Amino acid sequence: MSNVVIENFIAGEFCKGTSGKTFEVRTPVDNSVIAVAHEASKEDVAHAVESARAALTGPWGQMKIDDRIDMLHAIADGVNQRFDEFLEAECLDTGKPRSLASHIDIPRGAANFKVFADMIKNVPSEAYRMETPDGTGAVNVAHRAPKGVIGVISPWNLPLLLMTWKVGPALACGNTVVVKPSEETPLTTTLLAEVMNSCGVPAGVYNVVHGFGPDSAGAFLTEHPGVDAITFTGETGTGEVITRAAAKGLRDVSMECGGKNAAIVFADCDMDKAIEGTMRSAFANCGQVCLGTERVYVQRPIFEEFVQRLAHQAGELTLGRPEDPDTKMGPLISLEHKEKVLSYYRLAVEEGATVVLGGGEPDMTEDLAPGAWVQPTIWTDLDDNARVIKEEIFGPCCHIRPFDEEDEVIALANDNAYGLATAIWTENSARAIRVAEQIEVGIAWVNSWFLRDLRTSFGGSKQSGIGREGGVHSLEFYTEMKNICIKL
Ligand code: NAD
Ligand code: 6OD
């Protein structure tokens, strides 16, 4: 039993809260308990929202924009100064390889503060001169004000990165936040509170409440009338519940939800690049990336070679502890999620799949056997209407299907309720653009995957979400535009 205690962070202070309830946090590496977290009560969440409201009119609201920008840079520096602690915490919570978290999660977690701090300085405004009947005219000048108290609900797959992806721009725009991290991964969000205090961020600007969704901190936060807008990343079903909660009081929402993303591999692709990219898009983070590929469509002349090469490389992935430099793939997030993924592995067989690779649980050493391990898995031969083709699994698996014509593959890729991302592999740039324009997604990569310029728009079509974040789109969500009309 671990003696690490995770507390809520409200009004600049760590506190156990008033619920008297705690929950265990386990590492999926071996399912052992790594911490005990204090669950926030409805009153604790209300206290966090009130302290966020007070900070809006207090020193944070009064702060000059240059000072706020400096403070956000200091937060990023603070994360980087404690890089190893953040890395350790993120890998403990998620089980992901250190090699991955040290390149993606922690540096991006820090960068999200710097990038949006710099962006706020350069955001343009609008001004219109108009004529009036009396001939003197008027000018209209747009003013952006912070939206207010932002409720941030974040998931477990990239805990620090996806939370700061929202907190960075929200603070840059002058808002205050109450964050409810996933109950699976509360460590780095809590560690960030220490950084906030050490950087002198005023009390109430950044608050953290721990707990679950329904009838717990998540619902208490999203249903609280003092929250002005809600930004959420997680499952589409949860997004629907939160959108309903936000409807009361007409609060704005940003929804970054699930995906069932297609990769499209044309016969004229650079095969090495397509294999390398699909290895990452299907298996990185144990397949737990919303942008990841679970459907791969490969043009018939290269189908057999592609399947054989991908299966060969995926079969070589070393599963192991986060700290082991040889580890290429960690466990799933929890035993519960492992059961969900394995249920899809069984369903694939029932639905008639040919199992090219994996399909079950790996043999792990005795110390790791209690963990949430599954095999990287590849299928072929499923019907286009199979549930395994239609539903998000969120595991290290993909189905590969041959196609012949461009129009055919566009229709196949679009035949899904989700619309988050796609990756197109071809050396023909005209085709790449033509196809990308027709796939119903928010993000289309050509000859790459997860290549992120934080100034670009990010979000999903169809059931993958509502709205866009990233660059000026984040600034639009986290500010309220006001037109000031001045009669001359
Ligand atoms: P989840 O929806 O189960 O949980 C996300 C968060 O919502 C957690 O903090 C959870 O406690 C909270 N929550 C759950 N029910 C709630 C309720 N009723 N009210 C308020 N809060 C509630 O998602 P997850 O399992 O943590 O993450 C995996 C999912 O997230 C996948 O579907 C994945 O595709 C999606 N995701 C999407 C993106 C994106 O950018 N589009 C990024 C990462 C993950
Ligand atoms: O890179 C990002 O900013 C981002 N939002 C990534 C999302 C990954 C989903 O799992």
Side-chain angles (χ1 to χ4, degrees):
M1 184 76 171
S2 160
N3 55 9
V4 174
V5 175
I6 306 286
E7 293 188 325
N8 300 291
F9 182 71
I10 301 174
E13 289 182 8
F14 287 97
C15 57
K16 292 188 173 30
T18 60
S19 77
K21 291 197 267 184
T22 58
F23 59 94
E24 290 177 340
V25 184
R26 291 172 182 270
T27 176
V29 171
D30 58 11
N31 202 39
S32 60
V33 176
I34 52 169
V36 171
H38 285 268
E39 187 175 343
S41 67
K42 200 169 195 169
E43 290 70 34
D44 301 328
V45 174
H47 181 199
V49 174
E50 282 151 22
S51 73
R53 172 75 49 205
L56 274 177
T57 47
W60 184 245
Q62 313 287 324
M63 195 179 282
K64 289 199 189 100
I65 189 160
D66 280 346
D67 294 339
R68 196 162 81 216
I69 288 167
D70 288 347
M71 196 161 262
L72 290 173
H73 276 266
I75 297 168
D77 293 341
V79 172
N80 285 326
Q81 278 152 15
R82 299 180 66 175
F83 192 95
D84 290 346
E85 283 174 78
F86 275 93
L87 184 61
E88 168 88 20
E90 203 73 313
C91 293
L92 257 182
D93 253 353
T94 60
K96 64 178 76 189
R98 267 193 201 169
S99 54
L100 180 70
S102 62
H103 280 91
I104 304 276
D105 300 64
I106 312 305
R108 261 295 307 284
N112 281 334
F113 288 103
K114 286 202 175 165
V115 167
F116 288 102
D118 292 342
M119 218 172 280
I120 191 84
K121 252 186 178 170
N122 299 313
V123 67
S125 193
E126 57 182 39
Y128 294 103
R129 176 88 158 84
M130 66 186 286
E131 302 304 323
T132 54
D134 66 3
T136 61
V139 283
N140 294 276
V141 182
H143 169 73
R144 283 183 183 276
K147 226 164 212 169
V149 176
I150 309 290
V152 179
I153 308 274
S154 49
W156 45 256
N157 62 329
L158 297 156
L160 183 72
L161 187 159
L162 288 176
M163 182 266 295
T164 58
W165 164 247
K166 293 168 179 304
V167 171
L171 298 191
C173 292
N175 301 282
T176 57
V177 296
V178 181
V179 183
K180 208 298 280 171
S182 168
E183 56 275 28
E184 305 281 3
T185 53
L187 294 187
T188 47
T189 305
T190 310
L191 199 50
L192 186 63
E194 291 182 19
V195 172
M196 294 283 173
N197 271 354
S198 67
C199 293
V201 174
V205 171
Y206 175 81
N207 303 274
V208 181
V209 289
H210 292 295
F212 304 84
D215 202 27
S216 184
F220 301 151
L221 179 60
T222 54
E223 289 166 8
H224 195 292
V227 172
D228 297 300
I230 300 165
T231 177
F232 167 76
T233 300
E235 286 183 10
T236 297
T238 312
E240 288 172 350
V241 173
I242 292 176
T243 303
R244 273 198 287 277
K248 188 146 174 64
L250 289 183
R251 280 107 32 86
D252 205 356
V253 291
S254 173
M255 292 281 140
E256 299 187 338
C257 299
K260 185 73 182 179
N261 310 302
I264 302 176
V265 187
F266 286 98
D268 64 2
C269 73
D270 178 323
M271 181 73 114
D272 291 344
K273 283 189 207 156
I275 292 286
E276 187 273 334
T278 311
M279 278 298 296
R280 286 191 296 116
S281 70
F283 303 112
N285 209 34
C286 199
Q288 303 165 118
V289 182
C290 59
L291 308 157
T293 301
E294 291 188 357
R295 299 181 288 147
V296 186
Y297 298 101
V298 181
Q299 212 163 16
R300 205 171 299 274
I302 61 164
F303 178 76
E304 295 298 339
E305 183 188 353
F306 186 93
V307 172
Q308 183 263 322
R309 284 183 62 178
L310 195 77
H312 176 74
Q313 288 204 18
E316 304 262 282
L317 286 170
T318 309
L319 278 57
R321 288 188 177 276
E323 60 276 18
D324 186 336
D326 292 334
T327 297
K328 295 287 181 287
M329 199 175 100
L332 292 167
I333 191 64
S334 64
L335 293 185
E336 190 187 349
H337 190 49
K338 171 179 171 177
E339 192 36 53
K340 176 186 163 184
V341 171
L342 286 177
S343 76
Y344 277 102
Y345 282 14
R346 290 190 292 272
L347 179 64
V349 174
E350 286 162 25
E351 291 188 314
T354 299
V355 181
V356 179
L357 180 77
E361 294 183 58
D363 274 336
M364 302 303 290
T365 50
E366 200 179 333
D367 53 330
L368 298 180
W373 304 92
V374 294
Q375 291 177 320
T377 291
I378 295 175
W379 305 285
T380 55
D381 298 322
L382 277 170
D383 185 84
D384 292 329
N385 291 317
R387 281 181 53 205
V388 167
I389 300 292
K390 296 289 185 198
E391 298 171 14
E392 183 186 50
I393 301 171
F394 223 52
C397 53
C398 64
H399 177 261
I400 316 182
R401 179 209 196 279
F403 73 92
D404 296 296
E405 303 296 334
E406 197 174 297
D407 286 350
E408 176 198 6
V409 78
I410 291 168
L412 285 167
N414 286 338
D415 185 19
N416 198 272
Y418 293 107
L420 188 54
T422 191
I424 300 162
W425 301 92
T426 174
E427 293 296 295
N428 178 335
S429 51
R431 165 185 279 156
I433 292 170
R434 191 167 62 231
V435 173
E437 284 176 349
Q438 293 178 77
I439 307 289
E440 296 158 352
V441 287
I443 304 147
W445 277 287
V446 175
N447 296 330
S448 63
W449 178 77
F450 209 109
L451 188 56
R452 297 277 291 114
D453 180 327
L454 303 185
R455 294 167 298 183
T456 61
S457 71
F458 183 96
S461 308
K462 303 198 279 191
Q463 291 186 21
S464 289
I466 302 175
R468 295 288 180 270
E469 296 197 39
V472 293
H473 311 284
S474 290
L475 306 186
E476 268 159 23
F477 178 71
Y478 293 109
T479 58
E480 193 88 316
M481 193 89 141
K482 181 190 297 178
N483 184 58
I484 304 176
C485 178
I486 308 157
K487 176 80 167 57
L488 300 177

